[in-house]
Amino acid sequence: MSDETIEPSSVAAAPGEDHAGHVHVVPPWLLLAVFAALLVLTFVTVAITHFDFGRTVNVWVALGIAVAKATLVALFFMHLKWDSPFNGLVCVTAMFFVALFIGITLLDSKETAVNFQPPPVPAARPAE
Amino acid sequence: MSAITPPAHGIGLPVEREPSPPRGDNYLTHSRGILSWLFSLDHKRIGIMYLVGVLTAFLIGGIFALLLRTELLTPGPTFNSNKAEAWTFYNHCFTLHGAVMVFLFVIPAIPAVLGNFVLPIMLGAKDVAFPRLNLGSFWCWIGGAIFFTYVLLGGILNASFGWHLPGGYGLDTGWTFYTPYSTGQGPHAHSTDGTIAALLGVFILGFSSILTGVNFIASIHMLRPKGMGWFRMPLMLWALYATSVIQILATPVLAITGLLLLAERVIGVGIFDPAIGGDPVLYQHFFWFYSHPAVYIMILPAMGVISEVISTHSRKHVFGYNFIAYSSIAIALLSFLVWGHHMFVSGQSPLANAIFSLLTFSVAVPSAIKVFNWVSTMYRGDIRFTTAMVCAMCFIVMFTFGGLTGLFLGALSNNIHVTGTYFIVAHFHYVMVGSVLFAFLAGLYHWWPKMFGRMTDLAWGNAGALTLLVGFNLTFMPQFIMGAKGMPRRYATYPVEFQGYHVVSTIGAYVMAIGLFTIAFNLLHALLKGEKAPANPWGANTLEWHCPSPPPHDNFPVEPVAGDPYDLKSWQWDEATKQWVLDEQRARTVAGTEPTVHHH
Amino acid sequence: MLLSILAQSAYLPPRASTVAPEVDGLFNAILAIITFFCLVIFAAMIVFAIKYRHRVGHEGGASPGHSTALELTWTIIPTIIVLTVFYYGFKGFLNETVVPPNAYEVQVDAYMWGWAFTYPNGHVDPELHIPKDRPIRLVLSSRDVIHSLYLPAFRMQKSAVPGRYNRFWVQATRLGEFPIYCAQYCGQNHSEMLSKVVVHDPKEFPDWLERASDLAKQPGFTPIKAGGQIVAARGCLNCHHTDGTASTGPTFKDLFGKQEVLNDGEVTVDENYIRESILYPQKRIVKGFGPVMPSFLGSLKDNEIDWIIWYLKSISANYKGDMSAGLSGGAVATSQAAPATKPAQ
Amino acid sequence: MSDLVSKQQAAVTLAGDPFSPTRDPHHGHPPHLAHHFETPEQQYSSAKVGMWVFLATELLMFGGLFCAYSVYRHNHPEVFEFAHHYLDRSLGAINTIVLITSSLTMAWGVRCAQLGQRRGLVLCLVLTLIGGAGFMTIKTIEYHHKYVEHVWFGAGNRYSKHYQGPSINEGPFGGHQSESALRMTEGERQEAAADKEMMAPTTQPTESFGPAFVDPNAGTPDESKIKPTQVIPAGLSTRVRPEVGEEVRYEDLPQFEKDRVSTFFNIYFLMTGLHGIHVLVGMGLITWILVRGARGAFGPLYYTPVDLVGLYWHLVDLIWIFLFPLLYLIH
């Protein structure tokens, strides 16, 4: 990673794709293919709501499809596939810390759920 | 300016020499007029403007610290015989002191002032990657700072002098803005009217912090010169890099927390306020997810400064470079895993308590490594007691003690006893104030000749630093004892048994003030009457000492080539000319070898 | 065992709970550790600073810039130490968390700025009274903002969070009175939100509770005196001063019978208005004051409100009526005070 | 090897660029090259690094909202399942497609800029703008429905304890009922009416200052009349959750879950509102590069602003990709 100043971001493109200057240009077929995939996944995520796999699985299925779509957008529309790996690392790190934040907070919230329950009514009994 | 050696382009490697800039043309004199400063894109000028702003904030925060300590001299009301007014005054004062010091002084002090000034020069670059963004960040800071201070100070002035400053609500939530007190849905809502304005101020300040972080990360990635691999960066740059990572990852969470709080107050959306369906403990998770890492935004750059200063003024290669560099990154990442240790008694689950306690101790280890490495750097050195070095040694004292007292707080059962007491107050003042302030001063004294081309007076500077050290310990050592005995924090009045400690503490605060004024006069004296500084008064080898003092507008006419930043032996004192001279032969040899002299 | 031997100190509050010795032992152990490390580090720094100071003829020596063995040593040793400290802290915490069975339960209701401890028989007291040598389970909640119940002598603290019910337990080992502080900032009078724990002999505790539960049964009872005790105990006086000065709320002095201006209209402060203000404080607010008073609906009994009314009458020059019922002891006085409107339940 | 190729190509393109003089690091800069950068590549890559780091802050900021969402959804799943029926999933799906399409045109716009196709760039950006405007229009329609149905945020939500507005059937729009309100079961409507009655202010003495611990038994001398304590805030439902496939009905929710229904709408408005603000900012930025692009400011050598705005726009799309299933498709 120490050589960006010498080799700024001359990201190598796969052979056979068109270029201009130092950065990769995405070919139209790929843009359209990604677009089509996104449409299909949108359809799938709506359609799948007609099936119930139970609360937890439903959420993870929906999230899984969303992650797949997000990955497509990030890799192709946002050029991460051809970009400096550092930019991808930035994106992944941010996601990781969001997950960390949500994960630990959720863990605590789950554990303390009992504390939202009001205590039993003090029974009107004489103290010993 | 004969004292200035011609800029050495790199470590004596053959580079095309351009004529030195014309005599006297440096960044200070490059252009004239107030506007040439206010809208300057020059990172050095922005750094100096931050310096003025940050010191002003420090002065305001400091005055209120003295007012607080004076109020606490006696258990009863001191300034105002009406109890209710006296308590409100005290509560406003501690909020202002805490909030101004945290958001306007400790967080920006080292990254925004020293970082802005030296980072590009250390990189051998002409500027940071995004100079316009840098200026934008400065203006965000100024805007946020004025707004924030106005709201907080306005309330105190209105209440104390019967003024009618519009919008001067004042705030008494403390810098933590805990809900539901700050959301004001409960009783006494009017006492937190300033929340909205203050949060807007914090939001704007957050932008400033984020933009600086973006700038530093991009600069360190993209602008390093030839010869400066990651492991040849000065440790200050590692520290600033780690700091920026935290600023990037943590500050946005503060922003959204602020927005959610605003939404609660303005449109009644309940996420944190139980009266409208929220949960206050969730607020604490949000708040500390930012604010714990923010503690490391404060201390990491301080560690960077200390690494530079100790090595330079001991004239020794820094010991264990890789460990220090890695520990900066380790601290930055681990700092995100420990936020819950502020919430051990808040109703957080025992499981989370245990996890956070364990992780908290994991941060202690990289911090300990750094201290050992700094002390080892002094071993077999040739130590000069410059004011920078004295401040750095004071830093080690403060940080060792402050850091180690963290062991009490990390241990669950002890934390439960002392949390929310003066023990906490003393602990974080040792770390966030004692340490960071001494590191900031060490950095100022170290780079003052570079910033202004003037040397500071040694005796007065050292006297000031030592007075500060005495005053600081006098102020905060009794607070540890008070805290252990059970004196809660943020108390306007207290049981009489604690008065003795409070009196000593207040006296200490005044001693600190004397020390700080001595330092202020010392620096101002240097600015006006100080001896002219050579390009490299300390014989240091990081790149900023390779350009004249003060640096020209463009820093380096040609990008220099970097060598080992701690190869101090390449600079030899020349008794005849009374300055440090680069041994080019040696520098060339070192630059061609490994960055550190270790052999596996 | 080792910890309890270490638990001797002058800088910690008295120890009055079962967990205190362990906490103090760890405290002192950590103190010893940090003293040792501070001494080592400061000594090394000072010795190096003197020995290797710059002076004529002194040259900085060569020393390795790095030593893996050394650096691993000072990574591993602190790691072991902090893990040990974690272990003991965690162990102490477990003791503080796991409530023994058959604990005596007291509910704690925090408000700005006072504490209301509710005992199993329904008695509400501003102080925490507990029997010695018996586990006491405290269930905390808050009416308004976060407070924190801090018992330094018991080495325990827990926040009272609105909307949540936090729980912890203590067991007293010593008779006497110990301070209670609020350790979470909660507004103007945060520093005056004090109370105390009174540890009773287990045999005498039931007597105390019975006595405390019924003001009418206390020696020298009069409605006026009882009313005065209630307004003091329930924190009314934090906002309503009795010296004629207005605070967060109007003063109690000369309040009864006074003509007050509201935001929309006027009202004579009579039995009805006082009762309404205690139960539904937001309904009719005197001009110049904020809607900040909490409701005491359900937490003050009817006869207690009657006593408060008697107390207010007693300190008002505006009340010209007969005071004898307020001054007479016994249960007679409790129900005849005022034919006040009963709250619409 | 391929690095070398692209560098050579870069050099060739640079030399043949009609807009800039031959690049020489010491004596003349290509236009747009700031003085502190050595090469346009370095400048471009710095801008991208900066943008990505900024996008990371955006992710963390939305992360806070996702965290609030997760905590409340996890603790009150029935509430979310019930309340999400108020959202119109067809409109949500249409909006998803609109936004994905605008992402496509944006990506294509970047391509046009890279290739120096000025007309293509303008066309793509205009299409993207239309997409953004379409998204906001649909969003406005949805918000309007919520307003009409009194499932607004804060106290404007009819499930809120602090709701003061008219009951659903006598609203300001003359009893207008939108599609999603019609989807309410008869039981829900009755429940809503019953709720309204229950909310007569006199029976809610504590509503204006938050949850008080009110012990209804204090002052009750008769032990046999002791009632269970009704305490307002509560978290997890204690009742058995619906089986797989069973629909959650409002009347089945325990009281403290009913009190949480408005939280769903609060979170919905916060998330979509903040996202909407980002869409508006993005549209502003696109307008800016559209104007510049139409003047021919961008070409193969300099298209950094288009690329960065594109990244921003895709991020906005990316966040919606998560918002859509999490808010509209709960089941």
Side-chain angles (χ1 to χ4, degrees), chain B residues 1-72:
Chain B
M1 207 175 279
S2 56
I4 293 179
T5 49
H9 303 299
I11 315 294
L13 295 176
V15 254
E16 170 193 353
R17 296 244 166 173
E18 290 200 355
S20 303
R23 181 187 158 87
D25 181 32
N26 57 50
Y27 79 99
L28 293 167
T29 55
H30 184 69
S31 50
R32 291 183 185 282
I34 185 79
L35 291 182
S36 77
W37 277 85
L38 292 180
F39 296 102
S40 172
L41 297 179
D42 185 344
H43 68 98
K44 299 180 287 299
R45 286 193 165 194
I46 293 174
I48 300 299
M49 288 194 289
Y50 263 121
L51 178 64
V52 175
V54 156
L55 289 180
T56 310
F58 184 61
L59 181 68
I60 295 172
I63 288 171
F64 279 87
L66 290 180
L67 286 176
L68 286 181
R69 287 308 329 162
T70 311
E71 171 67 61
L72 289 172

Side-chain angles (χ1 to χ4, degrees), chain B residues 83-85 87-88 91 94 172-174 178-181 186-190 274 279-282 284 316-321 323 344-348 350 353-354 357-358 361-362 364-365 368-369 371-373 375-376 378-385 393-394 396-397 400-401 404-405 407-408 411-414 416-421 423 481 483-493 495 497-498 569 597-598 600, chain C residues 10-13 22-24 26-28 30-31 33-34 37-38 41-42 44-46 48-50 52-55 58-68 70-72 74-75 78-79 81-83 85-86 88-90 92-93 96-97 112-113 143-146 148 150-153 155-159 161-164 166 179 181-194 239 247-248 291-294:
Chain B
K83 270 189 176 184
E85 284 174 18
W87 301 165
T88 305
N91 296 339
F94 84 67
D172 68 340
T173 59
Y178 266 18
T179 57
Y181 187 69
H188 310 273
H190 57 285
D279 176 13
V281 177
L282 185 62
Q284 296 178 18
K316 263 281 302 295
H317 192 287
V318 74
F319 186 84
Y321 174 96
F323 263 65
F344 285 159
V345 302
S346 73
Q348 183 175 249
N353 279 358
S357 169
L358 183 61
F361 281 115
S362 70
V365 176
I369 291 173
V371 173
F372 292 132
N373 280 0
V375 175
S376 307
M378 293 168 68
Y379 175 65
R380 302 193 75 178
D382 183 24
I383 298 164
R384 329 256 155 159
F385 293 107
M393 288 167 66
C394 292
I396 293 184
V397 173
T400 304
F401 196 70
L404 282 170
T405 51
L407 291 183
F408 292 107
L412 273 165
S413 62
N414 270 301
I416 286 170
H417 172 50
V418 290
T419 192
T421 69
F423 198 92
I481 305 171
K485 276 175 157 317
M487 165 85 209
R489 64 192 283 207
R490 295 176 171 175
Y491 263 30
T493 176
E497 54 174 304
F498 294 115
K569 296 283 190 298
V597 278
H598 64 268
H600 290 289
Chain C
Y11 40 81
L12 289 164
E22 196 176 358
V23 174
D24 290 7
L26 182 60
F27 190 97
N28 287 321
I30 298 176
L31 190 60
I33 293 171
I34 76 169
F37 275 98
C38 280
I41 291 168
F42 298 166
M45 191 177 81
I46 291 166
F48 292 168
I50 294 169
Y52 305 115
R53 71 187 184 280
H54 175 67
R55 55 196 183 272
H58 173 73
E59 285 269 323
S63 71
H66 169 84
S67 158
T68 309
L70 198 55
E71 288 175 74
L72 280 180
W74 65 48
T75 306
T79 307
I81 291 174
V82 296
L83 286 180
V85 172
F86 163 76
Y88 282 103
F90 179 60
F93 172 71
E96 292 168 356
T97 308
M112 287 163 148
W113 293 278
R143 277 184 220 172
D144 33 49
V145 302
I146 303 178
S148 200
Y150 179 31
L151 314 166
R155 309 289 186 271
M156 274 309 293
Q157 185 184 149
K158 196 84 183 176
S159 290
V161 182
R164 285 193 177 222
N166 285 340
Y181 301 113
C182 174
Q184 181 59 259
Y185 178 72
C186 58
Q188 191 191 66
N189 290 356
H190 165 57
S191 53
E192 291 186 301
M193 191 170 160
L194 309 175
C239 299
S247 175
T248 313
V292 300
M293 179 165 152

Side-chain angles (χ1 to χ4, degrees), chain B residues 59-127:
Chain B
L59 181 68
I60 295 172
I63 288 171
F64 279 87
L66 290 180
L67 286 176
L68 286 181
R69 287 308 329 162
T70 311
E71 171 67 61
L72 289 172
L73 209 46
T74 58
T78 304
F79 292 111
N80 190 332
S81 57
N82 180 321
K83 270 189 176 184
E85 284 174 18
W87 301 165
T88 305
F89 174 75
Y90 176 85
N91 296 339
H92 278 121
C93 283
F94 84 67
T95 302
L96 185 141
H97 166 70
V100 165
M101 284 300 200
V102 168
F103 291 117
L104 302 183
F105 176 70
V106 199
I107 288 179
I110 298 180
V113 178
L114 301 176
N116 254 321
F117 193 92
V118 302
L119 177 133
I121 320 184
M122 277 185 161
L123 287 170
K126 292 187 168 71
D127 211 320

